[in-house]
């Protein structure tokens, strides 16, 4: 089992993780938690893989608009398809995620609607085969953190049920989650478009509708959607930003022994260094003694 | 494995089930389906347990209203709490499910809102310990069909992932699903109330809100919610009513080998005999050659 977490350096944080898992899996320990309640939830962007310079789902969405405009000329006069087709970055710059999330959501929902679920999946699966990160040159799906994937395996070896809980598109992540994390589709919780069941002459299909399932899976939406999907609180949570705070509070309020892990992006050389968007989460970790994982110090290797 | 389905009589339907499972699990067979795609979805009311004379969730809801009115006198002037507390059956008669489902939904959503998720679960768990079926005198949670529970086990032994897909309350079923079916909470798909994440002085809680998550998990809502929860179509579906038609069509449109099973309530002596609410489903089974399971002829024993 020592090798299971080989990309972690021996550190206080690694020790905390191992000790926690030992306590909750030891039937003789006061902190024992039965397997049915050993739920772990992992944020994705910035926690399981790289989220900079922009969330991967944004690249995927823009590529999708361009591809659909290429296939269907009637879309080329309509935004955001026109901008994506013409490579007009100024158009998209105004949808800066931090500044205007609701506007981005509305734009995405309307522009992504209309495809069948099967069309969306085929198109997105193709994109993942060639799309590369602008700085590292690796496929986006290879931008995953080895220590965290090892942690998922370690938890499962100790009868934890591991779920992804991402603010990004659930449907996009489900296409590659098994391949890159070993997480089956039904263990992915995320934001998603509403679907409509449409009878057609050649049989019924699921069509993507122009609205998000509520709540969006971020911040206070995370505990709501974890309860909806899993039916109970997590006892181990891994996140990296303010959007993961409520999920951590959910574990803390579970009445069970719990462990919260915040991945801190402090390695500008091997990845990125930033605290923006994690200020409140870092403060809460300090306040409650939750673990702050230093990518620079705690991880021997970063990418898988 | 012969004993695994001991409550089934040797019949054409049992043979179909076994042959289907053999085909999709045999790597050498043209119909082989990899385990990741071996999804089975089971309706609950009338498919896994008895749904007559009224859905079990209706008894649970009425008992809940009465109990809450008993604990909180201020509720006794407010409907439906007043009627439940006074035992006023006339008030509830006008909410006959078949006649007025939307009205019943609205009433239930508004009346069930306000409790925390933890309060709801504790109260409902207590109800299941004593509440009995009016005709059979057994606990409601004992009104389960032995042949179907055996079928769940048989499918899992063949690496199927089994989900419940019920029109009734997801949260209610999750309280007992592991105990009575061996189905963990995260494998239960159903109708549910929206939840709100509320910070309180003694820590945040999930509070049940006065609206249902859309779509309600019935009819065309079933394929939508299966896709949302599981991420792919089922290849084996078991249902018993018109509300299960779309879920069966979802399997038929999967592009994979599939098996649809309709439990037919034709045993008035050992259970109930009725076709009301299953007319269209029965017609579709005849049209497409989907299996109609006769409770009278195919099942050696009915209740577990």
């Amino acid at each position: 089992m020592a090798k299971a977490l080989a990309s972690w350096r021996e550190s206080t944080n690694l020790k905390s993780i191992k000790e926690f898992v030992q306590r909750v899996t030891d039937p003789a320990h006061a902190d024992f938690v039965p397997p049915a309640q050993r739920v772990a939830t992992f944020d994705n962007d910035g926690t399981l893989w790289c989220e900079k310079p922009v969330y991967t789902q944004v690249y995927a969405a823009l590529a999708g608009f361009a591809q659909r405009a290429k296939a269907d000329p009637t879309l080329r006069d309509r935004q955001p398809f026109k901008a994506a087709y013409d490579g007009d970055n100024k158009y998209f710059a105004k949808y800066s995620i931090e500044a205007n999330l609701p506007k981005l959501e509305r734009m995405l929902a309307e522009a992504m609607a209309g495809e069948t679920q099967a069309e969306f999946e085929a198109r997105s699966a193709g994109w993942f085969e060639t799309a590369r990160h602008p700085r590292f040159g690796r496929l986006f799906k290879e931008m995953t953190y080895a220590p965290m994937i090892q942690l998922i395996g370690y938890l499962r070896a100790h009868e934890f049920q591991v779920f992804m809980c991402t603010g990004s598109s659930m449907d996009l992540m489900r296409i590659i989650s098994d391949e890159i994390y070993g997480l089956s589709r039904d263990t992915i919780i995320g934001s998603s478009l509403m679907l409509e069941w449409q009878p057609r002459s050649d049989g019924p299909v699921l069509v993507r509708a122009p609205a998000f399932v509520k709540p969006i899976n971020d911040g206070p939406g995370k505990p709501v959607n974890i309860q909806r999907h899993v039916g109970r609180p997590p006892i181990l949570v891994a996140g990296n930003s303010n959007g993961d705070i409520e999920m951590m509070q959910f574990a803390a309020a579970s009445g069970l022994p719990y462990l919260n892990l915040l991945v801190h992006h402090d390695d500008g050389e091997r990845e990125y260094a930033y605290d923006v968007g994690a200020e409140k989460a870092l403060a809460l970790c300090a306040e409650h003694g939750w673990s702050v994982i230093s990518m620079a110090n705690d991880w021997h290797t970063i990418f898988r």
Side-chain angles (χ1 to χ4, degrees), chain A:
Chain A
M1 203 51 89
K3 262 200 160 173
L5 298 167
S7 296
W8 290 74
R9 294 208 181 101
E10 289 301 330
S11 69
T12 311
N13 281 321
L14 181 61
K15 211 174 151 190
S16 296
I17 292 170
K18 287 181 176 174
E19 278 177 1
F20 173 75
V21 170
Q22 207 148 36
R23 274 189 286 131
V24 299
T25 57
D26 176 3
H29 199 287
D31 281 354
F32 177 72
V33 176
Q37 293 176 49
R38 281 181 217 156
V39 172
T41 56
F42 284 72
D43 171 57
N44 185 48
D45 294 305
T47 300
L48 291 178
W49 74 2
C50 181
E51 66 178 350
K52 293 292 177 187
V54 181
Y55 296 142
T56 303
Q57 73 166 3
V58 176
Y59 292 105
L62 299 192
F65 299 149
Q67 197 179 338
R68 289 171 66 194
K70 196 176 166 190
D72 177 2
T74 66
L75 288 176
R76 293 177 202 166
D77 293 331
R78 189 183 138 200
Q79 293 291 20
F81 299 99
K82 179 176 164 46
Y85 186 72
D86 296 342
D88 173 7
N89 289 328
K90 276 187 208 156
Y91 177 82
F92 292 104
K94 67 176 176 174
Y95 288 103
S96 154
I97 287 176
E98 284 77 9
N100 222 324
L101 192 56
K103 208 167 169 183
L104 178 72
E105 280 169 22
R106 208 158 47 237
M107 186 266 278
L108 284 173
E110 282 169 11
M112 281 177 156
E115 281 184 300
T116 66
Q117 187 68 11
E119 286 163 352
F120 166 81
E121 288 184 10
R123 185 174 55 67
S124 303
W127 182 80
F128 273 121
E129 290 311 307
T130 58
R132 288 178 185 277
H133 189 276
R135 173 177 152 199
F136 291 94
R138 308 173 117 208
L139 294 175
F140 280 108
K141 67 178 182 177
E142 294 169 344
M143 296 295 294
T144 55
Y145 304 144
M148 297 305 277
I149 296 173
Q150 291 164 9
L151 179 55
I152 290 174
Y154 180 76
L155 292 172
R156 288 177 145 183
H158 289 87
E159 294 183 84
F160 275 73
Q161 304 156 68
V162 179
F163 296 85
M164 181 196 293
C165 186
T166 175
S168 281
S169 163
M170 177 176 82
D171 291 340
L172 190 72
M173 290 316 302
R174 282 176 169 178
I175 291 168
I176 50 163
S177 61
D178 204 355
E179 176 190 346
I180 70 176
Y181 301 128
L183 293 175
S184 60
R185 291 187 177 194
D186 60 299
T187 63
I188 309 302
I189 306 164
S191 301
S192 64
L193 285 186
M194 295 287 288
L195 296 172
E196 273 169 22
W197 182 247
Q198 277 189 11
R200 291 189 178 176
S201 59
D202 53 346
V205 287
L206 286 169
V207 177
R208 292 161 71 76
F212 279 92
V213 175
K214 288 302 165 87
I216 296 281
N217 198 46
D218 196 35
K222 289 200 173 188
V224 167
N225 287 324
I226 291 169
Q227 179 68 40
R228 190 185 293 175
H229 193 95
V230 183
R232 53 176 95 247
I235 65 165
L236 187 147
V237 169
N240 77 301
S241 78
N242 298 336
D244 300 313
I245 288 173
E246 286 84 353
M247 170 162 73
M248 293 182 170
Q249 291 173 327
F250 195 26
S254 66
L256 297 167
Y258 72 95
L259 183 68
N260 284 332
L261 307 172
L262 190 82
V263 175
H264 189 206
H265 293 266
D266 57 0
D267 192 331
E269 204 175 308
R270 295 190 298 172
E271 204 239 11
Y272 292 91
Y274 56 98
D275 286 350
V276 174
E279 306 87 343
K280 287 180 199 168
L282 285 163
L284 277 173
C285 285
E287 185 185 336
H288 296 293
W290 298 340
S291 304
V292 177
I293 309 289
S294 162
M295 294 178 75
N297 301 321
D298 289 333
W299 290 359
H300 192 268
T301 51
I302 291 196
F303 295 116
R304 195 180 180 173

